[in-house]
């Protein structure tokens, strides 16, 4: 935690520096305590916020920082979910093993597909990743190992209370945030931001674009795979069409854009808005999807740089600073 | 500059209002959820799992079904049936529970034909709206996630429509009760129907890798030998496939008189068109899953729906009466036609049976205590819209499914006749089978 949250800007000393150091711990303590006093409904919403925030952060890491606009991140959600289903429902092994394997399998798969998709640039990369996800959906639909398109009801999750699932989701959400902060404050993050601002100039200054992007892609795959396992721990029913559906990535894009791409705070704000909005729209059965689409269009037209973009432009405020400052 | 500042303020206000609305609706609960039966849901009243909700002003039924998305055609009549059923249930103030008579209301949840949304909306209904009974209807993508929510939260849950096999994989169940059809009997009725026809007893399968396709292929292969039939199976393919020429060519080469396809409506239309293009006209064809409505048969093209057969979950000729309304299948169908100006569809049977069972369970439970409601589900023994419903040890109450055939009709373009109902002895009148027009022996 120290390396991530403690390095305040130059000149920030005394109470302000301590506040910035203590605030995340205090917020985390409140979030953990929710498991003991939060209502089931509040916890169920928080589960979704944490999971969607994690996948939103990972999409943002790719799209907002590395310039890799992927429409295939659902591949890793599906792989994470299916790993959970196979490990617990078929092999009756512990859930924790499923989470570890979800990350491992996602990274291996990302490594494999990076060979063809990293040869593509821009919109071709975007389409290439989408096609990979669609192929996975088709493959899992016809693969006897994955029970064809019938999928699985993951009954091992019946034993988990809402509070327990919330704690898992919290770990995934906070973990994703720590990973993003760690990445952005590392040499990798510096390289990413240099590439984001000017790819050609960064290359001239010695940034290896391929390796930098690949590292980012693998990290994103691992965390998205774990988040996929957490999402299906909550949902407990998986089928290929749903697991590898484009709607997961649509959610990630919505979260990143509404919150503010290229910012750490953006996906947090985006996930909160996305989940609460969707909950509100469930009160309008039959037209909720249409309303969500209209609201998304309206927000993008009004605030193209997202809510965090507006806040930053007006106040220069940021909760999670990732820029380095020379020591005083 | 002034204009820019104004624009900025407007944006901030708009976003703040939207966020506030979302927060209110998200955290405050389902106060404004679309409900049927009048009284608004009072989301403030908590009912812990397994406990009666002492301050309740109504009995809440959370009803999750695909009101949008590809499965939306199946839910067209759901609200109509709910309104009719609730009008009867609430005619004298509702149902007596815990010493008070409370009206029954339905809070609707749209699964959008998607498992993730089904899970989320069911969770909202249980944890925010505090429903007393949860309902999930139409296909595993909705029924399975709703089941999980019911089981995890200890809420009596009733699921309807679909084969028992895939649902049972999620068991054993404590709080969930399924109104499903027996997949084995479903396939038996196919064979019963074909036994009434003169064919070469060769069956060609056009089945995808989805739940129905995989299950159907397995059971048909297991039964075909004993029934004297031969199966030609080119194998499973992914859902959404639109080129069937290879599959159909193999079936055509083998000279199958019987074609069986179980796909969604657009895919069935494609299969049937490609049959015509290949010059393959089987003697009889089952176009399952996506051809339940007269409009689906019309969509095949002029005259091309004639003689198509399909499993049938509703017919005005069903010899049962709704326990709630006392009306026969014919009366329910006539009223549906008059009210919605469309042919009676299979949803009628499932929806009326759901409300028959729920009303009976609540009356017998006499309480909103979830344990008592659950016990009442277990003790169900009711003659209703789908005949006698008793929940077996595996929590399934089996519903009738028969073998029907589309034939041309003046009123709605097509009507469905019953050809076989070996597992429903109450049905004794059957129509004569019709062969596909243009059948050419190969």
């Amino acid at each position: 935690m120290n390396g991530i949250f403690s390095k305040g800007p130059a000149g920030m000393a005394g109470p302000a520096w301590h506040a910035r150091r203590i605030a995340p711990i205090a917020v985390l303590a409140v979030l953990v305590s929710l498991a003991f006093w939060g209502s089931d409904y509040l916890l169920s919403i928080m589960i979704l916020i944490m999971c969607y925030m994690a996948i939103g952060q990972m999409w943002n890491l790719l799209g907002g920082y590395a310039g890799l606009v992927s429409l295939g991140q659902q591949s890793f959600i599906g792989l994470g979910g299916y790993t959970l289903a196979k490990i617990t429902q078929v092999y009756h092994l512990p859930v924790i093993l499923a989470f570890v394997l979800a990350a491992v399998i996602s990274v291996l798969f990302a490594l494999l597909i990076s060979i063809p998709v990293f040869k593509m640039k821009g919109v071709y990369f975007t389409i290439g990743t989408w096609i990979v996800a669609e192929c996975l959906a088709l493959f899992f639909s016809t693969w006897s190992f994955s029970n064809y398109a019938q999928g699985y009801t993951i009954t091992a999750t019946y034993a988990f209370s809402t509070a327990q699932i919330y704690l898992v989701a919290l770990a995934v959400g906070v973990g994703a945030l720590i990973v993003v902060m760690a990445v952005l404050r590392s040499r990798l993050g510096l390289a990413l931001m240099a590439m984001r601002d000017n790819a050609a100039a960064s290359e001239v200054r010695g940034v290896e674009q391929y390796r930098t992007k690949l590292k980012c892609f693998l990290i994103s795959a691992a965390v998205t795979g774990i988040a996929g396992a957490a999402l299906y721990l909550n949902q407990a029913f998986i089928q290929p069409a749903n697991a590898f559906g484009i709607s997961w990535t649509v959610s990630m894009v919505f979260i990143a854009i509404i919150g503010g791409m290229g910012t750490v705070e953006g996906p947090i704000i985006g996930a909160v808005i996305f989940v609460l909005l969707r909950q509100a729209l469930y009160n309008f059965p039959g037209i909720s999807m249409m309303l969500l689409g209209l609201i998304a269009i309206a927000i993008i037209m009004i605030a193209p740089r997202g809510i965090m973009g507006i806040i930053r432009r007006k106040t220069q405020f940021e909760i999670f600073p990732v820029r380095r400052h020379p020591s005083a | 500059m002034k204009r820019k500042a104004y624009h900025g303020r407007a944006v901030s206000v708009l976003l703040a209002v939207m966020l506030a609305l979302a927060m209110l609706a998200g955290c405050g609960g389902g106060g404004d959820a679309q409900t049927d039966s009048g009284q608004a849901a009072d989301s403030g009243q908590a009912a812990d799992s397994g406990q009666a909700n002492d301050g309740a002003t109504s009995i809440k039924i959370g009803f999750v079904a695909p009101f949008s998305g590809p499965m939306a055609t199946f839910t067209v009549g759901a609200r109509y049936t709910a309104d009719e059923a609730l009008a009867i249930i609430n005619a004298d103030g509702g149902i007596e529970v815990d010493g008070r008579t409370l009206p029954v209301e339905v809070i609707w949840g749209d699964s959008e034909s998607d498992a993730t949304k089904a899970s989320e909306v069911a969770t909202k209904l249980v944890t925010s709206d505090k429903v007393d009974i949860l309902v999930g209807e139409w296909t595993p993508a909705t029924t399975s996630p709703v089941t999980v929510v019911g089981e995890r939260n200890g809420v009596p849950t009733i699921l309807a429509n679909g084969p028992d096999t895939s649902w049972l994989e999620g068991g054993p169940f404590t709080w969930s009760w399924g109104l499903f059809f027996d997949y084995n009997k479903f396939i038996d009725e196919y064979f019963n129907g074909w036994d009434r026809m003169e064919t070469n007893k060769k069956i060609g399968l056009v089945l995808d890798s989805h739940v129905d396709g995989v299950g159907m292929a397995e059971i048909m292969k297991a039964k075909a030998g004993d029934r004297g039939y031969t199966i030609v199976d080119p194998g499973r393919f992914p859902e959404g496939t639109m080129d069937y020429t290879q599959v159909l060519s193999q079936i055509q080469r083998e000279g199958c008189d019987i074609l069986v396809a179980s796909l969604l409506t657009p895919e069935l239309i494609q299969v049937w068109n490609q049959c015509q293009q290949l010059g393959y006209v089987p003697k009889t064809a089952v176009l399952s899953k996506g051809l339940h409505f007269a409009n689906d048969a019309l969509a095949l093209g002029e005259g091309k729906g004639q003689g198509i057969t399909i499993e049938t979950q509703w017919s005005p000729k069903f010899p049962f009466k709704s326990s709630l309304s006392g009306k026969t299948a014919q009366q329910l169908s006539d009223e549906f036609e008059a009210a919605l100006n469309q042919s009676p569809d299979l949803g009628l049977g499932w929806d009326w049976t759901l409300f028959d069972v729920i009303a009976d369970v609540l009356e017998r439970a006499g309480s909103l205590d979830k344990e008592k409601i659950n016990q009442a589900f277990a003790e169900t023994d009711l003659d209703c819209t789908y005949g006698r419903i008793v929940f077996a040890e595996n929590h399934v109450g089996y519903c009738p499914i028969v073998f029907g055939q589309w034939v041309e009709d003046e009123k709605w373009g097509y009507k469905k006749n019953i050809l076989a109902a070996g597992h429903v002895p109450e049905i004794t009148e059957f129509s004569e089978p019709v062969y596909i027009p243009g059948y050419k022996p190969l």
Side-chain angles (χ1 to χ4, degrees):
Chain A
M1 296 282 280
N2 271 357
I4 298 157
F5 293 111
S6 64
K7 290 178 183 171
M12 183 188 276
W17 187 81
H18 282 295
R20 180 152 271 174
R21 192 182 161 96
I22 292 167
I25 298 167
V27 170
L28 186 62
V30 171
L31 288 173
V32 171
S33 75
L34 261 187
F36 304 99
W37 58 265
S39 71
D40 277 352
Y41 184 49
L42 180 59
L43 293 179
S44 71
I45 287 180
M46 290 303 293
I47 289 169
L48 297 175
I49 288 176
M50 287 297 153
C51 290
Y52 279 106
M53 186 193 77
I55 60 176
Q57 286 288 6
M58 290 305 119
W59 191 87
N60 187 41
L61 188 64
L62 288 180
Y65 288 97
L68 295 169
V69 180
S70 166
L71 284 184
Q73 288 303 93
Q74 65 271 33
S75 301
F76 308 114
I77 289 185
L79 287 173
Y82 265 99
T83 306
L84 177 75
K86 287 296 287 188
I87 290 294
T88 62
Q89 190 68 16
V90 181
Y91 301 124
H92 306 291
L93 294 169
V95 168
I96 185 73
L97 180 66
F99 277 76
V100 174
L101 281 177
V104 172
I105 291 170
S106 296
V107 167
L108 290 176
F109 185 73
L111 207 54
L112 183 72
I113 62 166
S114 69
I115 299 166
V117 297
F118 270 56
K119 289 193 169 64
M120 305 172 193
K121 283 202 169 24
V123 71
Y124 298 101
F125 172 85
T126 304
I127 294 168
T129 50
W130 186 5
I131 288 171
V132 167
E134 288 295 310
C135 289
L136 266 187
L138 290 178
F139 182 65
F140 272 67
S141 298
T142 50
W143 195 18
S144 60
F145 181 74
S146 61
N147 203 20
Y148 300 102
Q150 295 183 96
Y152 296 100
T153 301
I154 310 168
T155 54
T157 67
Y158 290 174
F160 283 75
S161 67
T162 307
Q164 287 169 327
I165 296 173
Y166 165 67
L167 288 173
V168 172
L170 180 64
V172 171
V174 172
L177 186 63
I178 290 172
V179 167
V180 167
M181 291 291 290
V183 166
L184 294 179
R185 291 190 63 85
S186 68
R187 283 175 61 85
L188 178 63
L190 275 177
L192 281 173
M193 281 181 271
M195 277 164 44
R196 178 193 61 183
D197 296 338
N198 191 326
S202 68
E203 197 159 23
V204 171
R205 297 299 295 264
V207 173
E208 282 190 77
Q209 295 217 4
Y210 181 87
R211 287 187 67 176
T212 306
K213 286 184 176 182
L214 181 62
K215 279 181 194 168
C216 201
F217 191 58
L218 297 183
I219 291 167
S220 174
V223 178
T224 308
I226 291 171
L231 282 161
Y232 280 98
L233 183 73
N234 184 44
Q235 186 172 314
F237 177 69
I238 189 164
Q239 283 183 317
N242 176 254
F244 298 103
I246 185 74
S247 60
W248 290 115
T249 296
V250 171
S251 306
M252 297 177 213
V253 175
F254 182 98
I255 287 165
I257 290 178
I258 298 300
M261 269 176 78
T263 66
V264 179
E265 298 87 349
I268 302 173
I269 296 169
V272 171
I273 292 177
F274 176 74
V275 170
L276 294 186
L277 206 52
R278 210 148 91 159
Q279 289 291 314
L281 294 176
Y282 280 134
N283 291 326
F284 304 94
I287 55 168
S288 59
M289 275 198 286
M290 199 168 67
L291 290 175
L292 186 67
L294 287 173
I295 290 171
I297 293 167
I299 296 181
I300 289 166
M301 285 179 73
I302 295 165
R305 303 184 76 171
I307 290 168
M308 206 53 212
I310 294 178
I311 294 172
R312 276 207 181 159
R313 198 179 61 208
K314 287 188 174 295
T315 64
Q316 299 298 310
F317 174 76
E318 53 184 358
I319 306 166
F320 301 105
V322 292
R323 277 168 295 179
R324 284 159 182 273
H325 298 268
S327 48
Chain B
M1 194 66 190
K2 212 172 178 180
R3 190 178 165 152
K4 199 174 173 185
Y6 173 76
H7 184 241
R9 267 202 307 277
V11 167
S12 308
V13 169
L14 179 70
L15 292 176
V17 168
M18 286 178 66
L19 197 61
L21 280 174
M23 298 279 281
L24 272 174
C27 294
D32 4 40
Q34 283 193 16
T35 61
D36 269 339
S37 133
Q39 305 199 356
D42 187 349
S43 58
Q45 288 147 354
D48 291 330
S49 189
Q51 301 290 314
N53 185 354
D54 293 333
T57 54
S58 65
I59 302 167
K60 294 175 191 166
I61 312 292
F63 200 118
V64 184
F67 292 102
S68 57
M71 299 301 295
T73 48
F74 290 94
T75 55
V76 170
R79 285 166 190 266
Y80 160 79
T81 305
D83 286 343
E84 294 288 304
L86 291 177
I88 297 167
I89 294 169
N90 294 333
D92 296 322
I95 293 175
E96 192 177 335
V97 285
D98 304 314
R100 292 173 301 154
T101 301
L102 296 179
V104 176
E105 67 169 330
V106 170
I107 306 176
W108 299 101
D110 182 8
S111 74
E112 300 174 19
S113 309
D114 178 77
T116 301
K117 304 276 179 63
S119 171
E120 287 182 17
V121 75
T123 302
K124 177 186 170 294
L125 288 170
V126 167
T127 58
S128 173
D129 297 310
K130 309 282 184 191
V131 296
D132 300 296
I133 293 177
L134 188 60
V135 180
E137 200 185 18
W138 301 109
T139 77
T142 295
T143 55
S144 293
V146 170
T147 302
V148 172
V149 173
E151 288 292 320
R152 187 177 284 154
N153 292 283
V155 176
T157 301
I158 182 163
L159 299 315
N161 183 273
D164 57 344
T165 44
S166 63
W167 187 71
L168 286 171
E169 283 179 16
F173 303 107
T174 305
W175 296 94
S176 312
W177 307 88
L179 294 171
F180 295 118
F181 49 78
D182 182 326
Y183 221 163
N184 273 292
K185 292 179 180 172
F186 171 113
I187 301 297
D188 280 342
E189 299 300 355
Y190 280 6
F191 286 106
N192 293 340
W194 295 327
D195 282 349
R196 295 187 61 207
M197 302 179 189
E198 286 181 17
T199 65
N200 63 6
K201 302 206 170 196
K202 284 178 92 171
I203 306 163
L205 302 184
V206 185
L207 300 176
D208 64 17
S209 60
H210 220 268
V211 182
D212 305 317
V214 174
M216 201 181 273
E218 280 174 12
I219 299 173
M220 286 186 83
K221 283 178 186 172
K223 288 180 182 288
D226 289 344
R227 301 288 299 242
Y229 288 79
T230 313
I231 299 278
V232 175
D233 183 11
R236 306 289 69 77
F237 47 80
E239 190 182 38
T241 298
M242 289 307 268
D243 181 8
Y244 301 93
T245 45
Q246 204 175 350
V247 172
L248 291 172
S249 297
Q250 188 180 337
I251 292 169
Q252 186 181 22
R253 274 198 309 276
E254 298 284 344
C256 297
D257 268 358
I258 304 168
L259 179 77
V260 176
S262 178
L263 304 164
L264 296 175
T265 315
E267 298 156 23
L268 285 180
I269 294 170
Q270 185 75 348
V271 165
W272 205 229
N273 282 338
Q274 289 184 354
C275 279
Q276 321 285 319
Q277 287 159 10
L278 291 167
Y280 171 50
V281 183
K283 199 163 188 177
T284 187
V286 174
L287 298 189
S288 170
K289 190 158 94 172
L291 216 76
H292 285 295
F293 305 97
N295 279 343
D296 298 331
L298 284 168
L300 288 174
E302 198 179 342
K304 289 182 183 172
Q306 176 73 355
I308 299 290
T309 53
I310 184 169
E311 69 280 358
T312 297
Q313 298 154 46
W314 178 255
S315 166
K317 292 174 184 164
F318 274 19
F320 311 115
K321 278 184 183 174
S322 159
S323 57
L324 199 55
S325 67
K327 289 173 183 168
T328 63
Q330 187 66 56
Q331 286 172 311
L332 294 175
S333 297
D334 291 344
E335 287 178 7
F336 182 91
E337 281 185 6
L340 299 186
N341 193 30
Q342 65 180 68
S343 64
D345 65 65
L346 73 169
L348 256 181
W350 295 106
D351 292 338
W352 272 107
T353 304
L354 271 172
F355 284 103
D356 284 343
V357 171
I358 288 170
D360 172 65
V361 161
L362 285 170
E363 273 169 14
R364 282 186 293 106
S367 170
L368 291 184
D369 183 293
K370 292 188 169 48
E371 296 278 4
K372 288 182 182 166
I373 293 174
N374 206 43
Q375 187 57 33
F377 268 114
E379 292 165 358
T380 298
D381 187 346
L382 181 69
D383 282 311
C384 64
T385 310
Y386 264 163
R388 187 177 173 217
I389 296 293
V390 178
F391 289 106
E393 208 170 310
N394 62 5
H395 284 217
V396 176
Y398 285 102
C399 297
I401 190 157
V402 302
F403 193 56
Q405 183 168 49
W406 288 113
V407 290
E408 287 176 327
D409 175 60
E410 279 183 10
K411 197 169 186 184
W412 302 110
Y414 285 95
K415 66 173 182 180
K416 226 186 271 177
N417 286 335
I418 298 178
L419 293 190
H423 287 289
V424 192
E426 294 90 343
I427 298 176
T428 51
E429 285 182 30
F430 302 102
S431 303
E432 278 304 307
V434 171
Y435 296 105
I436 304 289
Y439 162 68
K440 287 176 252 176
L442 294 159

